[in-house]
Amino acid sequence: QVQLVESGGGLVQPGGSLRLSCAASGSAFIINAMCWHRQTPGKERESVACIGGSTNYADSVKGRFTISRDNSKNTMYLQMNSLKPEDTAVYYCYAQTRPVGSFYLNDYWGQGTQVTVSS
Protein backbone atom coordinates (compact mmCIF):
# COMPACT_ATOMS: atom_id res chain seq x y z
CA GLN A 1 0.00 0.00 0.00
CA VAL A 2 3.07 2.25 0.05
CA GLN A 3 5.07 3.06 -3.04
CA LEU A 4 8.56 4.54 -3.05
CA VAL A 5 9.90 6.21 -6.18
CA GLU A 6 13.51 7.35 -6.46
CA SER A 7 14.80 9.98 -8.85
CA GLY A 8 17.86 12.11 -9.45
CA GLY A 9 20.46 9.53 -10.37
CA GLY A 10 22.74 9.86 -13.34
CA LEU A 11 26.30 10.20 -14.55
CA VAL A 12 28.59 12.68 -12.85
CA GLN A 13 32.32 13.36 -12.84
CA PRO A 14 34.42 12.78 -9.73
CA GLY A 15 34.04 15.73 -7.39
CA GLY A 16 30.61 16.50 -8.72
CA SER A 17 27.25 16.52 -6.98
CA LEU A 18 23.86 14.91 -7.29
CA ARG A 19 20.68 15.08 -5.27
CA LEU A 20 18.50 12.00 -4.99
CA SER A 21 14.83 12.15 -4.09
CA CYS A 22 12.46 9.50 -2.79
CA ALA A 23 8.74 10.15 -2.75
CA ALA A 24 6.47 7.94 -0.66
CA SER A 25 2.84 7.65 -1.64
CA GLY A 26 -0.14 5.78 -0.28
CA SER A 27 -2.75 6.29 2.36
CA ALA A 28 -3.24 5.88 6.08
CA PHE A 29 0.41 5.36 6.94
CA ILE A 30 3.10 7.00 8.99
CA ILE A 31 6.79 6.81 8.18
CA ASN A 32 8.94 6.00 11.19
CA ALA A 33 12.25 6.13 9.36
CA MET A 34 13.70 6.32 5.88
CA CYS A 35 17.08 5.25 4.61
CA TRP A 36 19.23 5.27 1.54
CA HIS A 37 20.99 2.03 0.70
CA ARG A 38 23.25 1.24 -2.21
CA GLN A 39 24.35 -1.90 -3.97
CA THR A 40 27.02 -2.82 -6.50
CA PRO A 41 26.90 -6.00 -8.61
CA GLY A 42 27.57 -9.13 -6.59
CA LYS A 43 27.64 -7.27 -3.29
CA GLU A 44 25.19 -7.03 -0.44
CA ARG A 45 23.16 -3.91 -0.08
CA GLU A 46 24.69 -1.48 2.40
CA SER A 47 23.16 1.32 4.38
CA VAL A 48 24.32 4.79 3.36
CA ALA A 49 22.23 7.09 5.53
CA CYS A 50 19.07 6.95 7.62
CA ILE A 51 16.78 9.53 9.10
CA GLY A 52 14.10 9.08 11.72
CA GLY A 53 14.37 10.38 15.24
CA SER A 54 18.00 11.05 14.40
CA THR A 55 20.32 10.78 11.43
CA ASN A 56 23.25 8.51 10.82
CA TYR A 57 25.69 7.93 8.00
CA ALA A 58 28.08 5.32 6.80
CA ASP A 59 31.65 6.32 7.56
CA SER A 60 32.47 6.37 3.87
CA VAL A 61 30.03 9.21 3.17
CA LYS A 62 30.27 11.34 6.31
CA GLY A 63 31.04 14.93 5.47
CA ARG A 64 30.01 14.46 1.85
CA PHE A 65 26.38 13.28 1.92
CA THR A 66 23.43 14.87 3.68
CA ILE A 67 20.10 13.16 4.26
CA SER A 68 16.93 15.15 4.84
CA ARG A 69 13.16 14.76 4.86
CA ASP A 70 10.15 16.87 4.07
CA ASN A 71 7.60 15.19 6.32
CA SER A 72 4.68 17.12 4.89
CA LYS A 73 5.40 15.55 1.49
CA ASN A 74 6.75 12.20 2.71
CA THR A 75 9.80 12.87 0.60
CA MET A 76 13.42 12.09 1.45
CA TYR A 77 16.52 13.57 -0.13
CA LEU A 78 20.15 12.64 -0.33
CA GLN A 79 22.50 15.46 -1.26
CA MET A 80 25.72 13.92 -2.51
CA ASN A 81 28.77 16.14 -2.84
CA SER A 82 32.40 15.43 -3.65
CA LEU A 83 31.39 12.23 -5.36
CA LYS A 84 33.96 9.50 -5.85
CA PRO A 85 34.07 6.56 -8.27
CA GLU A 86 33.53 4.31 -5.25
CA ASP A 87 30.09 5.87 -4.83
CA THR A 88 28.95 4.26 -8.07
CA ALA A 89 26.01 2.01 -7.25
CA VAL A 90 22.28 1.59 -7.50
CA TYR A 91 20.77 3.65 -4.71
CA TYR A 92 17.59 2.38 -3.08
CA CYS A 93 15.06 4.14 -0.93
CA TYR A 94 13.78 2.30 2.15
CA ALA A 95 10.92 3.23 4.43
CA GLN A 96 9.70 1.74 7.67
CA THR A 97 6.02 2.52 8.05
CA ARG A 98 3.05 1.76 10.25
CA PRO A 99 -0.68 2.16 9.72
CA VAL A 100 -2.22 5.20 11.32
CA GLY A 101 -3.18 4.32 14.87
CA SER A 102 -1.05 1.17 14.94
CA PHE A 103 2.48 0.14 15.87
CA TYR A 104 2.60 -2.73 13.39
CA LEU A 105 5.64 -2.09 11.21
CA ASN A 106 6.05 -2.61 7.49
CA ASP A 107 9.10 -2.35 5.26
CA TYR A 108 9.11 -0.95 1.74
CA TRP A 109 11.79 -0.57 -0.92
CA GLY A 110 11.98 1.54 -4.01
CA GLN A 111 13.13 0.28 -7.39
CA GLY A 112 16.47 2.03 -7.25
CA THR A 113 18.24 4.71 -9.24
CA GLN A 114 21.67 4.37 -10.83
CA VAL A 115 24.47 6.68 -9.79
CA THR A 116 27.65 6.51 -11.85
CA VAL A 117 30.73 8.54 -10.96
CA SER A 118 33.27 8.48 -13.75
CA SER A 119 35.55 10.80 -15.65
Side-chain angles (χ1 to χ4, degrees):
Q1 68 275 22
V2 177
Q3 183 179 22
L4 305 176
V5 180
E6 303 99 332
S7 62
L11 175 65
V12 65
Q13 294 183 342
S17 299
L18 286 173
R19 190 174 84 151
L20 305 183
S21 299
C22 174
S25 61
S27 62
F29 71 95
I30 296 173
I31 298 176
N32 290 335
M34 298 184 76
C35 298
W36 288 101
H37 292 238
R38 65 187 182 187
Q39 186 171 24
T40 56
K43 304 297 182 181
E44 293 186 3
R45 196 169 298 183
E46 65 172 345
S47 177
V48 176
C50 292
I51 184 168
S54 61
T55 60
N56 58 81
Y57 298 88
D59 289 341
S60 60
V61 306
K62 287 181 178 178
R64 300 188 298 119
F65 291 9
T66 303
I67 189 171
S68 61
R69 281 178 63 183
D70 183 341
N71 291 331
S72 66
K73 298 180 179 180
N74 283 335
T75 300
M76 175 179 64
Y77 306 94
L78 185 67
Q79 179 66 48
M80 304 185 294
N81 298 326
S82 301
L83 283 163
K84 304 175 181 179
E86 307 93 274
D87 296 317
T88 297
V90 177
Y91 284 71
Y92 295 91
C93 177
Y94 163 83
Q96 182 185 78
T97 72
R98 63 179 176 87
V100 174
S102 174
F103 291 95
Y104 184 83
L105 301 179
N106 294 293
D107 301 318
Y108 294 94
W109 291 91
Q111 296 177 337
T113 184
Q114 177 71 48
V115 172
T116 302
V117 184
S118 176
S119 59

